[in-house]
Structures are given as C-alpha cells and as structure tokens.
Amino acid sequence: MMNFTIGPVQMDDETLEIGKQQIPYFRTPEFSALMKENEAILCRLFDAPEGARVVFMTGSGTASMEGGVMNFFSSGDNVLVVNGGSFGHRFVQLCEIHQIPFTEIKLDYGKPLTKELLYQFDNKGYTGMMLQLCETSTGVLYNMEMIGDFCAKNDMFLFVDAVSGFMADEFSMKKMHVNAAITGSQKALSLPPSMSFTVLDSKAQKRCAENKVRSMYFDYCDYLKNGERGQTPFTPAVSTIIMLNEKLRRLEKSGGIRVANKTAKERAEYFRAKIKHLPLKLFSALEDSSNCVTALMPTTKGVNAHRIFEIIKDEYGIWICPNGGDMAEKVFRVGHIGNISNAEIDRLVEVFEDLVKRKLL
C-alpha cells in the first residue's frame, strides 16, 4: 500500500534495513555517544540557542505535549493557547487536566491566527503561549515569526508543537524566539511511531528545575540529568534511536534542514498543481497552508470525505488521512512528508480522476 497520511509515513530503505537487525543493549559507552550525537544534530536542525538540550521521550507526540505542559508551566502561569483544530484543542485539554490557568484563542477551522487578533492580548500579563507550528487537522501554517516577536515583546515563554511541521516548514528557535519545541519520530523523520523529542533552551531548562514535577516518567529534570551521560532514565525505543542517528547523519550530509524544507515545499506544490482540475477545494488558503499536508474539501454535492478515504483504502490500496469530529465528513488530508515520489503522487491523482469518472468524487 502507498501511504499519504501524516504519520506514520513511508520510511526510507536505510531505515527499514536497520529495522531488520537485532536490538542491542543500550547502557553502553557506544550508545551514549550515539545519543549525544543525536542531541547535537537535533539542536542544529531546530536552530536552537547555545546550551540547548533535548529530552528523548519514549511516547507519541502527545506524550511530549503533556510533558511540556507539566514541566514548563504551573498554577502561577497565565498562558495563551491557540485552538485552531484537533491538536490545538489537545493543548486546551492538557491545561485543564493539569490546572494551568489559560485563555483560549479559538479560531475558525482552516483560518490563520492574525496579528489583529493576537495583539488583543498584548500587555495583558500573560506568561506563556502554546500552539502548533502547523495545525495538522486543517493544514494551516501559523506565522511563527509574528508570534515569536509577540512573545518576546511580552516576555512570554513560547512552547511549540512542531511534530508535523518540522523539516517541512521553516522553523528556527532562535529566529522565532521559541523556548521549547517538539517533533515526533513517525513524521518527517520517517521513523516508526515510538518516540518524540523536545528541544529546550536555557529558559525551558530553568522552568523544569523550578517546577518540581510530581511525576516519575515525565520529570524532565531526570531526563536532562541522564542525558548528560548520553542516556535516558528509562528504556527508550532503542531501534528508533539508532534509526534516528542514521537519518540525522544522512540529512546533514544531504544539505540539512533547508534542503528538507525545499523538498517538502516542492512536493506540496507538485501535488496541488496536479489536482487543480479536480472537484476539490483547499480547506485553508494557499498562503496559509503548511508544506507537510494538504487538507481538501470535496466540492461535489453529497460527497462524503470519510467515504472517499474508505474507498481509496479498500479499492485502490492507498492510505490518505481522514479527519475526525466536525470535519470527518467534510475534509480529508494528503500528506507530503516521508519517502514519497512524484510517481506515487501521480498514481494518487489518477485514483482521484477515476473516482470522478465513477461519480464518487
């Protein structure tokens, strides 16, 4: 089957080869050196400030979302949370669970955060902000330079979920004044689902030390302390760590983050150009759309977006990405990350064209 979802994505041959091997023991100097190298490269790819560290969490991106909320914020904070879709809503839920005082900026699905809306909260005493680099459920890319400047102006701690957007959309912790950011193994890194990675600047590390989290597994201070020796406090997804090292090395040799961003952009543009003749409408405006995913609305009356997902999966052997909640029957998504070729994109477009002929799209 071909996979155009937003994760897990199609893996590289080099990654698949590592997956065939036996899993080694990891409490060794060799594994520690590999972990330290992973940390150094990730910090470079995130363009993190000097002294930044990485927490290697065995868990999905949501695990690191929750870990970040627990470690970076407390009842003494007052944070802004951008809710523009399923994953923005997840930050709202986490603040509620962990009793972090917050104000929700609720956006219409498919719409960006504008400067006019954001600056309604200027000089209002907020201490932090959390949002996605791109809202994966809608395809919207947020203006991180504008948001970062706002947070710097208001001395706010900025925590960004870059799980899907990392390596697809431009992202720089230094340029965008980001204090902590996360990504996941099964997204553009094209590894198996199993791990998420949080890059922390010195301010984020200080917040972890001051918060004294009441948790064993999510205590980032423990991860940072163990990371000094190139280890994690608990058993990590060892194979994924090894796959990550090979992928990061290869990524840097091929030109680094700029080349990765360029590849995702070209792939997204290629797909969007190929579907212009089809009865499909971009859910978010082109200028507000992420390179990692295209969210699409069928324009033919009576066509159910979730049914399109089912037909393409069952009859053509291709995965696209369905949506949930209010958008389940209206919007489906096509991912542009992972090991995808233009020939495979052409095949997906042919499938859409066949559905039009069958009067199913």
Side-chain angles (χ1 to χ4, degrees), residues 11-21 189-192 239-240 243-244 246-247 250:
M11 295 189 288
D12 304 329
D13 291 340
E14 295 89 341
T15 301
L16 292 169
E17 191 62 34
I18 293 172
K20 297 178 183 178
Q21 300 173 14
L189 287 167
S190 310
L191 310 176
S239 289
T240 300
M243 292 172 182
L244 174 66
E246 189 280 328
K247 177 73 177 195
R250 182 158 39 92

Side-chain angles (χ1 to χ4, degrees), residues 182-225:
I182 63 178
T183 193
S185 58
Q186 79 275 24
K187 302 295 185 176
L189 287 167
S190 310
L191 310 176
S194 53
M195 297 201 72
S196 47
F197 317 105
T198 306
V199 183
L200 303 82
D201 73 358
S202 58
K203 190 173 181 179
Q205 296 167 48
K206 183 180 179 183
R207 279 195 166 227
C208 292
E210 293 173 346
N211 275 351
K212 301 186 185 305
V213 170
R214 294 175 61 85
S215 172
M216 178 179 286
Y217 199 79
F218 288 95
D219 183 356
Y220 281 8
C221 288
D222 199 7
Y223 282 83
L224 294 170
K225 182 180 179 181

Side-chain angles (χ1 to χ4, degrees), residues 305-349:
H306 195 272
R307 182 62 185 141
I308 294 299
F309 154 75
E310 293 174 333
I311 293 171
I312 291 177
K313 171 178 66 72
D314 296 337
E315 299 184 24
Y316 296 90
I318 298 174
W319 285 304
I320 57 174
C321 212
N323 245 320
D326 296 340
M327 293 186 286
E329 296 183 359
K330 301 175 183 177
V331 179
F332 65 80
R333 296 164 293 157
V334 174
H336 310 304
I337 53 178
N339 185 15
I340 297 172
S341 67
N342 284 352
E344 288 170 318
I345 293 173
D346 291 343
R347 173 57 186 152
L348 178 60
V349 174

Side-chain angles (χ1 to χ4, degrees), residues 61-70 81 87-100 102 130 132 159 182:
T62 303
S64 287
M65 290 174 72
E66 182 159 28
V69 170
M70 294 169 68
V81 180
F87 294 94
H89 178 64
R90 197 163 295 181
F91 267 142
V92 170
Q93 292 175 297
L94 289 169
C95 286
E96 291 173 341
I97 290 168
H98 295 286
Q99 300 181 336
I100 308 299
F102 73 97
M130 59 183 82
Q132 283 63 43
F159 177 35
I182 63 178

Side-chain angles (χ1 to χ4, degrees), residues 68-117:
V69 170
M70 294 169 68
N71 283 269
F72 304 143
F73 302 103
S74 71
S75 59
D77 279 297
N78 188 17
V79 303
L80 289 175
V81 180
V82 178
N83 179 2
S86 301
F87 294 94
H89 178 64
R90 197 163 295 181
F91 267 142
V92 170
Q93 292 175 297
L94 289 169
C95 286
E96 291 173 341
I97 290 168
H98 295 286
Q99 300 181 336
I100 308 299
F102 73 97
T103 297
E104 178 182 5
I105 303 178
K106 186 74 166 65
L107 304 176
D108 291 336
Y109 288 169
K111 301 300 181 183
L113 175 63
T114 64
K115 187 172 184 177
E116 291 74 21
L117 177 56

Side-chain angles (χ1 to χ4, degrees), residues 92-350:
V92 170
Q93 292 175 297
L94 289 169
C95 286
E96 291 173 341
I97 290 168
H98 295 286
Q99 300 181 336
I100 308 299
F102 73 97
T103 297
E104 178 182 5
I105 303 178
K106 186 74 166 65
L107 304 176
D108 291 336
Y109 288 169
K111 301 300 181 183
L113 175 63
T114 64
K115 187 172 184 177
E116 291 74 21
L117 177 56
L118 179 60
Y119 272 78
Q120 292 179 21
F121 303 93
D122 191 27
N123 295 317
K124 296 291 178 66
Y126 289 99
T127 60
M129 186 170 183
M130 59 183 82
L131 78 164
Q132 283 63 43
L133 170 59
C134 67
E135 174 52 65
T136 319
S137 65
T138 66
V140 171
L141 175 69
Y142 293 125
N143 185 339
M144 285 307 308
E145 289 192 43
M146 174 192 74
I147 294 164
D149 289 344
F150 172 84
C151 288
K153 177 180 182 294
N154 285 273
D155 192 26
M156 295 166 61
F157 184 95
L158 180 54
F159 177 35
V160 178
D161 162 12
V163 169
S164 297
F166 174 64
M167 289 175 55
D169 299 304
E170 182 183 354
F171 188 69
S172 162
M173 289 182 66
K174 287 189 288 192
K175 183 178 178 181
M176 299 169 178
H177 307 292
V178 176
N179 301 108
I182 63 178
T183 193
S185 58
Q186 79 275 24
K187 302 295 185 176
L189 287 167
S190 310
L191 310 176
S194 53
M195 297 201 72
S196 47
F197 317 105
T198 306
V199 183
L200 303 82
D201 73 358
S202 58
K203 190 173 181 179
Q205 296 167 48
K206 183 180 179 183
R207 279 195 166 227
C208 292
E210 293 173 346
N211 275 351
K212 301 186 185 305
V213 170
R214 294 175 61 85
S215 172
M216 178 179 286
Y217 199 79
F218 288 95
D219 183 356
Y220 281 8
C221 288
D222 199 7
Y223 282 83
L224 294 170
K225 182 180 179 181
N226 276 273
E228 292 174 1
R229 63 188 181 97
Q231 291 288 335
T232 54
F234 313 105
T235 303
V238 176
S239 289
T240 300
I241 292 289
I242 296 170
M243 292 172 182
L244 174 66
N245 185 256
E246 189 280 328
K247 177 73 177 195
L248 293 177
R249 285 185 170 203
R250 182 158 39 92
L251 181 61
E252 287 213 314
K253 286 180 181 178
S254 67
I257 198 69
R258 290 183 181 179
V259 171
N261 289 345
K262 181 174 180 288
T263 298
K265 184 175 186 292
E266 290 173 348
R267 193 178 291 157
E269 289 176 345
Y270 183 83
F271 172 76
R272 291 164 187 166
K274 284 278 186 176
I275 62 168
K276 284 184 177 180
H277 65 293
L278 295 169
L280 295 168
K281 178 183 177 181
L282 295 181
F283 188 57
S284 58
L286 187 60
E287 63 270 19
D288 300 320
S289 295
S290 168
N291 293 323
C292 75
V293 61
T294 299
L296 294 167
M297 294 179 63
T299 57
T300 304
K301 186 177 180 180
V303 172
N304 184 307
H306 195 272
R307 182 62 185 141
I308 294 299
F309 154 75
E310 293 174 333
I311 293 171
I312 291 177
K313 171 178 66 72
D314 296 337
E315 299 184 24
Y316 296 90
I318 298 174
W319 285 304
I320 57 174
C321 212
N323 245 320
D326 296 340
M327 293 186 286
E329 296 183 359
K330 301 175 183 177
V331 179
F332 65 80
R333 296 164 293 157
V334 174
H336 310 304
I337 53 178
N339 185 15
I340 297 172
S341 67
N342 284 352
E344 288 170 318
I345 293 173
D346 291 343
R347 173 57 186 152
L348 178 60
V349 174
E350 288 174 0

